[in-house]
Amino acid sequence: MSHDQNFKNLILDYPRQAIEFAAASEAARLDDSVRILPLREEQLKERLGDRFRELDVPLLLEWPDGRRQALLFVFEEETEPKRFSMHRLAHYCLDLAELYHTERVVPVVIFLHSGTFDETLTLGSDTRDYLQFSYLAWPLFRLQARAYFDSPNLVARLNLPNMRYAPEEKVEVYAQAVRGLRTLEPDRERQIKYLDFVDIYAKLNDNERQRYQQHYAEETETMSAFADRFIDQGVQQGEARTLLRQLDQKFGPAAVQAHRERIEQAELEQLDTWLGRILSADSPETIFH
Protein backbone atom coordinates (compact mmCIF):
# COMPACT_ATOMS: atom_id res chain seq x y z
CA MET A 1 0.00 0.00 0.00
CA SER A 2 1.50 3.34 -1.09
CA HIS A 3 -0.11 5.92 1.16
CA ASP A 4 2.27 8.48 -0.36
CA GLN A 5 0.78 7.94 -3.81
CA ASN A 6 -2.79 7.94 -2.50
CA PHE A 7 -2.38 11.32 -0.81
CA LYS A 8 -0.27 12.71 -3.64
CA ASN A 9 -3.15 12.02 -6.04
CA LEU A 10 -5.65 13.51 -3.62
CA ILE A 11 -3.71 16.76 -3.15
CA LEU A 12 -2.88 17.17 -6.83
CA ASP A 13 -6.50 16.57 -7.85
CA TYR A 14 -7.90 18.88 -5.15
CA PRO A 15 -5.11 21.31 -4.17
CA ARG A 16 -7.30 24.20 -3.06
CA GLN A 17 -9.52 21.99 -0.91
CA ALA A 18 -6.45 20.30 0.59
CA ILE A 19 -5.07 23.70 1.60
CA GLU A 20 -8.44 24.81 2.97
CA PHE A 21 -8.71 21.64 5.06
CA ALA A 22 -5.12 21.32 6.29
CA ALA A 23 -4.14 24.99 6.56
CA ALA A 24 -7.35 26.90 7.18
CA SER A 25 -5.58 29.97 8.62
CA GLU A 26 -3.54 30.35 5.44
CA ALA A 27 -6.37 29.45 3.06
CA ALA A 28 -8.48 32.33 4.37
CA ARG A 29 -6.18 34.72 2.51
CA LEU A 30 -6.53 32.98 -0.85
CA ASP A 31 -8.98 34.24 -3.44
CA ASP A 32 -10.20 32.67 -6.67
CA SER A 33 -7.57 34.46 -8.76
CA VAL A 34 -4.68 32.55 -7.17
CA ARG A 35 -3.01 30.00 -9.45
CA ILE A 36 -1.93 26.73 -7.80
CA LEU A 37 0.90 24.92 -9.59
CA PRO A 38 2.52 21.60 -8.60
CA LEU A 39 6.33 21.61 -8.53
CA ARG A 40 8.79 18.80 -9.11
CA GLU A 41 9.43 16.98 -5.87
CA GLU A 42 13.11 16.09 -6.15
CA GLN A 43 15.51 18.98 -5.78
CA LEU A 44 18.90 19.09 -7.51
CA LYS A 45 21.54 17.05 -5.68
CA GLU A 46 24.74 18.57 -4.34
CA ARG A 47 26.59 15.42 -5.41
CA LEU A 48 25.42 12.84 -7.92
CA GLY A 49 25.89 10.06 -5.38
CA ASP A 50 23.50 11.68 -2.90
CA ARG A 51 19.98 10.43 -2.46
CA PHE A 52 17.13 12.75 -3.33
CA ARG A 53 15.38 14.50 -0.48
CA GLU A 54 11.85 13.85 -1.62
CA LEU A 55 8.58 14.96 -0.07
CA ASP A 56 5.13 14.45 -1.44
CA VAL A 57 3.61 17.55 -2.97
CA PRO A 58 5.13 21.03 -3.13
CA LEU A 59 2.55 23.52 -4.45
CA LEU A 60 3.38 27.00 -5.72
CA LEU A 61 0.69 29.67 -5.32
CA GLU A 62 0.89 32.78 -7.49
CA TRP A 63 -1.18 35.98 -7.57
CA PRO A 64 -1.77 37.34 -11.11
CA ASP A 65 -1.42 40.99 -10.08
CA GLY A 66 2.10 40.40 -8.77
CA ARG A 67 1.45 42.28 -5.52
CA ARG A 68 2.49 39.31 -3.42
CA GLN A 69 5.37 36.94 -3.64
CA ALA A 70 4.82 33.32 -4.51
CA LEU A 71 3.73 31.17 -1.59
CA LEU A 72 4.95 27.59 -1.31
CA PHE A 73 2.89 24.89 0.38
CA VAL A 74 4.93 21.78 1.15
CA PHE A 75 2.79 18.70 1.89
CA GLU A 76 4.32 15.55 3.33
CA GLU A 77 2.44 12.37 4.18
CA GLU A 78 3.90 10.44 7.12
CA THR A 79 2.16 7.17 7.88
CA GLU A 80 4.00 6.51 11.15
CA PRO A 81 4.80 9.62 13.26
CA LYS A 82 7.91 7.97 14.72
CA ARG A 83 9.49 7.98 11.25
CA PHE A 84 9.01 11.70 10.76
CA SER A 85 12.20 13.80 10.55
CA MET A 86 11.77 17.50 11.21
CA HIS A 87 15.42 18.08 10.25
CA ARG A 88 14.72 16.65 6.79
CA LEU A 89 11.60 18.78 6.40
CA ALA A 90 13.44 21.95 7.48
CA HIS A 91 16.29 21.20 5.06
CA TYR A 92 13.86 20.66 2.21
CA CYS A 93 11.94 23.88 2.92
CA LEU A 94 15.16 25.89 2.95
CA ASP A 95 16.15 24.34 -0.38
CA LEU A 96 12.81 25.27 -1.92
CA ALA A 97 12.93 28.80 -0.51
CA GLU A 98 16.37 29.34 -2.03
CA LEU A 99 15.42 27.74 -5.35
CA TYR A 100 12.28 29.85 -5.82
CA HIS A 101 13.64 33.02 -4.19
CA THR A 102 10.93 33.29 -1.57
CA GLU A 103 10.66 33.27 2.20
CA ARG A 104 6.94 32.50 2.05
CA VAL A 105 6.81 28.75 2.76
CA VAL A 106 4.08 26.80 4.59
CA PRO A 107 5.10 23.24 5.58
CA VAL A 108 2.20 20.83 6.20
CA VAL A 109 2.62 17.27 7.48
CA ILE A 110 -0.17 14.68 7.28
CA PHE A 111 -0.03 12.07 10.04
CA LEU A 112 -2.11 9.05 9.17
CA HIS A 113 -1.54 6.70 12.11
CA SER A 114 -1.61 7.61 15.78
CA GLY A 115 1.57 8.46 17.67
CA THR A 116 3.55 11.33 19.10
CA PHE A 117 5.64 13.82 17.14
CA ASP A 118 7.56 17.03 17.77
CA GLU A 119 6.15 20.21 16.27
CA THR A 120 9.08 22.61 16.73
CA LEU A 121 12.82 22.43 16.14
CA THR A 122 15.28 24.79 17.78
CA LEU A 123 19.00 24.91 17.04
CA GLY A 124 21.37 26.92 19.21
CA SER A 125 23.63 26.93 22.24
CA ASP A 126 23.16 27.32 25.99
CA THR A 127 23.07 31.09 25.59
CA ARG A 128 21.11 31.69 22.40
CA ASP A 129 18.73 30.11 19.87
CA TYR A 130 19.90 30.55 16.29
CA LEU A 131 17.28 28.69 14.27
CA GLN A 132 13.65 27.94 15.01
CA PHE A 133 11.43 25.86 12.73
CA SER A 134 7.83 24.69 12.96
CA TYR A 135 5.15 23.39 10.61
CA LEU A 136 1.39 22.80 10.40
CA ALA A 137 0.58 19.33 11.72
CA TRP A 138 -2.40 17.58 10.15
CA PRO A 139 -2.99 14.56 12.44
CA LEU A 140 -6.04 12.97 10.84
CA PHE A 141 -6.30 10.42 13.65
CA ARG A 142 -7.10 13.20 16.15
CA LEU A 143 -10.02 14.71 14.21
CA GLN A 144 -13.56 13.71 15.14
CA ALA A 145 -15.17 12.22 12.03
CA ARG A 146 -18.68 13.26 13.04
CA ALA A 147 -17.66 16.92 13.03
CA TYR A 148 -17.01 16.64 9.27
CA PHE A 149 -20.08 14.62 8.22
CA ASP A 150 -21.64 17.63 6.48
CA SER A 151 -18.43 19.32 5.37
CA PRO A 152 -18.54 20.85 1.86
CA ASN A 153 -14.81 20.13 1.57
CA LEU A 154 -14.33 16.96 -0.48
CA VAL A 155 -10.84 16.27 0.91
CA ALA A 156 -12.29 16.27 4.42
CA ARG A 157 -15.15 13.97 3.44
CA LEU A 158 -12.87 11.48 1.71
CA ASN A 159 -10.71 11.31 4.83
CA LEU A 160 -13.55 10.52 7.23
CA PRO A 161 -12.38 6.88 7.53
CA ASN A 162 -8.96 8.16 8.65
CA MET A 163 -10.47 10.19 11.50
CA ARG A 164 -11.57 9.19 15.00
CA TYR A 165 -14.91 7.44 15.50
CA ALA A 166 -16.45 4.71 17.64
CA PRO A 167 -16.42 1.17 16.16
CA GLU A 168 -20.20 1.14 15.87
CA GLU A 169 -20.04 4.31 13.71
CA LYS A 170 -17.84 2.78 11.04
CA VAL A 171 -20.59 2.07 8.49
CA GLU A 172 -22.06 5.55 8.95
CA VAL A 173 -18.61 7.11 8.51
CA TYR A 174 -18.15 5.16 5.28
CA ALA A 175 -21.60 6.21 4.08
CA GLN A 176 -20.93 9.90 4.75
CA ALA A 177 -17.62 9.68 2.86
CA VAL A 178 -19.30 8.07 -0.15
CA ARG A 179 -22.17 10.57 0.01
CA GLY A 180 -19.68 13.42 0.00
CA LEU A 181 -17.95 11.93 -3.03
CA ARG A 182 -21.26 11.50 -4.87
CA THR A 183 -22.56 15.00 -4.13
CA LEU A 184 -19.36 17.08 -4.23
CA GLU A 185 -17.58 15.50 -7.21
CA PRO A 186 -19.56 15.63 -10.48
CA ASP A 187 -16.90 13.87 -12.58
CA ARG A 188 -17.74 10.16 -12.93
CA GLU A 189 -14.15 9.01 -13.44
CA ARG A 190 -13.00 10.77 -10.29
CA GLN A 191 -15.94 9.32 -8.40
CA ILE A 192 -14.72 5.83 -9.26
CA LYS A 193 -11.11 6.77 -8.53
CA TYR A 194 -11.83 8.11 -5.06
CA LEU A 195 -14.36 5.43 -4.18
CA ASP A 196 -11.22 3.26 -4.14
CA PHE A 197 -9.61 5.76 -1.74
CA VAL A 198 -12.56 5.50 0.66
CA ASP A 199 -12.62 1.70 0.39
CA ILE A 200 -8.90 1.42 1.11
CA TYR A 201 -9.05 3.40 4.34
CA ALA A 202 -12.48 2.29 5.58
CA LYS A 203 -11.61 -1.43 5.28
CA LEU A 204 -15.17 -2.66 5.68
CA ASN A 205 -15.45 -6.36 6.43
CA ASP A 206 -18.18 -8.50 4.83
CA ASN A 207 -20.68 -7.90 7.63
CA GLU A 208 -20.11 -4.13 7.58
CA ARG A 209 -20.45 -3.98 3.80
CA GLN A 210 -23.69 -5.92 4.01
CA ARG A 211 -25.03 -3.49 6.63
CA TYR A 212 -24.05 -0.59 4.39
CA GLN A 213 -25.88 -2.09 1.43
CA GLN A 214 -28.98 -2.67 3.54
CA HIS A 215 -29.14 0.77 5.17
CA TYR A 216 -27.92 2.82 2.19
CA ALA A 217 -29.40 0.82 -0.70
CA GLU A 218 -30.07 3.81 -2.97
CA GLU A 219 -26.51 5.17 -2.73
CA THR A 220 -25.06 1.68 -3.16
CA GLU A 221 -27.03 1.21 -6.36
CA THR A 222 -26.03 4.63 -7.68
CA MET A 223 -22.29 4.13 -7.11
CA SER A 224 -22.42 0.58 -8.49
CA ALA A 225 -24.13 1.85 -11.62
CA PHE A 226 -21.42 4.49 -12.07
CA ALA A 227 -18.73 1.84 -11.67
CA ASP A 228 -20.36 -0.56 -14.14
CA ARG A 229 -20.89 2.24 -16.66
CA PHE A 230 -17.27 3.33 -16.31
CA ILE A 231 -16.02 -0.24 -16.86
CA ASP A 232 -18.30 -0.77 -19.87
CA GLN A 233 -17.16 2.54 -21.34
CA GLY A 234 -13.54 1.47 -21.02
CA VAL A 235 -14.21 -1.85 -22.75
CA GLN A 236 -16.15 -0.13 -25.53
CA GLN A 237 -13.35 2.34 -26.15
CA GLY A 238 -10.78 -0.48 -26.20
CA GLU A 239 -12.72 -2.52 -28.75
CA ALA A 240 -13.33 0.56 -30.90
CA ARG A 241 -9.59 1.29 -30.98
CA THR A 242 -8.85 -2.33 -31.89
CA LEU A 243 -11.35 -2.28 -34.75
CA LEU A 244 -10.00 1.03 -36.09
CA ARG A 245 -6.45 -0.31 -35.99
CA GLN A 246 -7.41 -3.52 -37.83
CA LEU A 247 -9.42 -1.53 -40.36
CA ASP A 248 -6.41 0.66 -41.05
CA GLN A 249 -4.09 -2.31 -41.46
CA LYS A 250 -6.42 -4.13 -43.86
CA PHE A 251 -8.07 -1.35 -45.88
CA GLY A 252 -6.01 1.79 -45.22
CA PRO A 253 -6.58 5.27 -43.71
CA ALA A 254 -9.48 6.14 -46.05
CA ALA A 255 -11.58 3.32 -44.59
CA VAL A 256 -10.79 4.50 -41.07
CA GLN A 257 -11.79 8.06 -41.90
CA ALA A 258 -15.05 6.93 -43.50
CA HIS A 259 -16.16 4.75 -40.59
CA ARG A 260 -14.50 6.27 -37.48
CA GLU A 261 -17.57 8.10 -36.16
CA ARG A 262 -19.76 5.03 -36.61
CA ILE A 263 -17.29 2.79 -34.79
CA GLU A 264 -16.67 5.18 -31.90
CA GLN A 265 -20.42 5.55 -31.24
CA ALA A 266 -21.28 1.84 -31.56
CA GLU A 267 -22.46 -0.34 -28.66
CA LEU A 268 -20.31 -3.21 -27.38
CA GLU A 269 -22.46 -5.91 -28.96
CA GLN A 270 -22.20 -4.27 -32.38
CA LEU A 271 -18.43 -3.85 -32.06
CA ASP A 272 -18.09 -7.55 -31.23
CA THR A 273 -20.01 -8.41 -34.41
CA TRP A 274 -17.82 -6.18 -36.59
CA LEU A 275 -14.61 -7.52 -35.03
CA GLY A 276 -15.78 -11.03 -35.89
CA ARG A 277 -16.25 -10.06 -39.54
CA ILE A 278 -13.10 -8.10 -40.25
CA LEU A 279 -10.74 -11.07 -40.70
CA SER A 280 -12.77 -12.56 -43.56
CA ALA A 281 -14.05 -9.29 -45.04
CA ASP A 282 -12.94 -8.39 -48.58
CA SER A 283 -14.19 -4.77 -48.26
CA PRO A 284 -15.26 -2.38 -45.45
CA GLU A 285 -18.85 -2.62 -46.65
CA THR A 286 -19.01 -6.35 -45.87
CA ILE A 287 -18.06 -5.56 -42.25
CA PHE A 288 -20.70 -2.90 -41.59
CA HIS A 289 -23.58 -4.03 -43.84
Side-chain angles (χ1 to χ4, degrees):
M1 175 60 60
S2 176
H3 300 295
D4 280 357
Q5 287 297 323
N6 292 342
F7 278 88
K8 181 180 296 184
N9 274 269
L10 182 66
I11 294 167
L12 290 177
D13 279 340
Y14 306 106
R16 185 177 292 271
Q17 295 191 58
I19 293 171
E20 290 172 349
F21 181 39
S25 59
E26 297 290 345
R29 304 175 184 178
L30 307 183
D31 54 44
D32 293 337
S33 67
V34 175
R35 289 199 313 157
I36 304 178
L37 307 170
L39 304 177
R40 58 170 289 167
E41 301 155 35
E42 307 89 353
Q43 299 308 302
L44 295 177
K45 298 186 287 185
E46 296 175 4
R47 299 180 60 187
L48 293 180
D50 293 343
R51 294 182 61 185
F52 281 124
R53 289 187 299 276
E54 180 177 333
L55 299 188
D56 290 330
V57 188
L59 300 174
L60 177 66
L61 278 63
E62 294 181 337
W63 281 260
D65 57 13
R67 288 182 298 172
R68 305 191 206 181
Q69 289 179 295
L71 177 62
L72 286 170
F73 274 82
V74 181
F75 283 85
E76 179 182 39
E77 185 277 326
E78 194 64 71
T79 304
E80 301 292 343
K82 64 182 180 182
R83 296 175 52 192
F84 172 59
S85 169
M86 201 183 311
H87 294 77
R88 180 169 65 95
L89 179 61
H91 197 170
Y92 185 74
C93 289
L94 288 170
D95 281 351
L96 281 175
E98 182 177 21
L99 182 63
Y100 290 96
H101 308 290
T102 182
E103 296 177 356
R104 293 162 53 81
V105 179
V106 180
V108 182
V109 181
I110 306 163
F111 292 105
L112 190 57
H113 293 169
S114 60
T116 58
F117 48 86
D118 294 327
E119 296 189 44
T120 59
L121 171 67
T122 302
L123 303 181
S125 66
D126 293 336
T127 59
R128 182 179 172 183
D129 294 336
Y130 292 95
L131 176 65
Q132 291 185 326
F133 176 77
S134 61
Y135 61 94
L136 288 175
W138 192 15
L140 293 173
F141 62 89
R142 290 182 184 172
L143 302 179
Q144 293 291 341
R146 186 165 291 278
Y148 294 91
F149 274 8
D150 298 319
S151 173
N153 187 306
L154 182 55
V155 172
R157 294 289 284 275
L158 293 175
N159 275 288
L160 287 175
N162 291 318
M163 298 180 191
R164 179 181 295 181
Y165 54 87
E168 61 271 18
E169 295 179 304
K170 186 175 182 181
V171 172
E172 186 179 6
V173 167
Y174 178 84
Q176 292 294 344
V178 173
R179 183 172 297 168
L181 177 60
R182 184 173 64 85
T183 57
L184 298 174
E185 175 52 84
D187 185 90
R188 299 294 185 252
E189 293 188 21
R190 284 197 178 180
Q191 285 185 348
I192 300 305
K193 178 179 180 179
Y194 285 100
L195 183 59
D196 284 344
F197 185 95
V198 176
D199 282 337
I200 287 169
Y201 293 107
K203 299 178 182 176
L204 297 186
N205 59 35
D206 291 341
N207 290 334
E208 291 163 343
R209 192 165 294 279
Q210 187 175 11
R211 283 169 49 206
Y212 171 72
Q213 292 171 350
Q214 290 172 347
H215 290 88
Y216 302 92
E218 183 178 350
E219 292 187 7
T220 302
E221 184 177 350
T222 300
M223 294 307 292
S224 297
F226 287 157
D228 292 343
R229 189 182 311 165
F230 181 70
I231 292 170
D232 288 345
Q233 182 183 1
V235 174
Q236 188 273 343
Q237 290 173 348
E239 291 203 3
R241 286 195 297 268
T242 299
L243 181 57
L244 288 169
R245 184 168 60 251
Q246 292 183 358
L247 193 65
D248 180 57
Q249 291 172 349
K250 190 161 188 176
F251 299 109
V256 172
Q257 184 175 0
H259 297 282
R260 178 183 295 277
E261 183 176 355
R262 186 179 189 180
I263 290 172
E264 290 179 343
Q265 294 179 358
E267 299 292 335
L268 269 174
E269 185 177 356
Q270 184 65 74
L271 287 170
D272 287 338
T273 300
W274 291 340
L275 281 167
R277 293 175 180 172
I278 193 168
L279 294 178
S280 59
D282 54 10
S283 69
E285 287 69 25
T286 57
I287 299 172
F288 301 107
H289 180 64

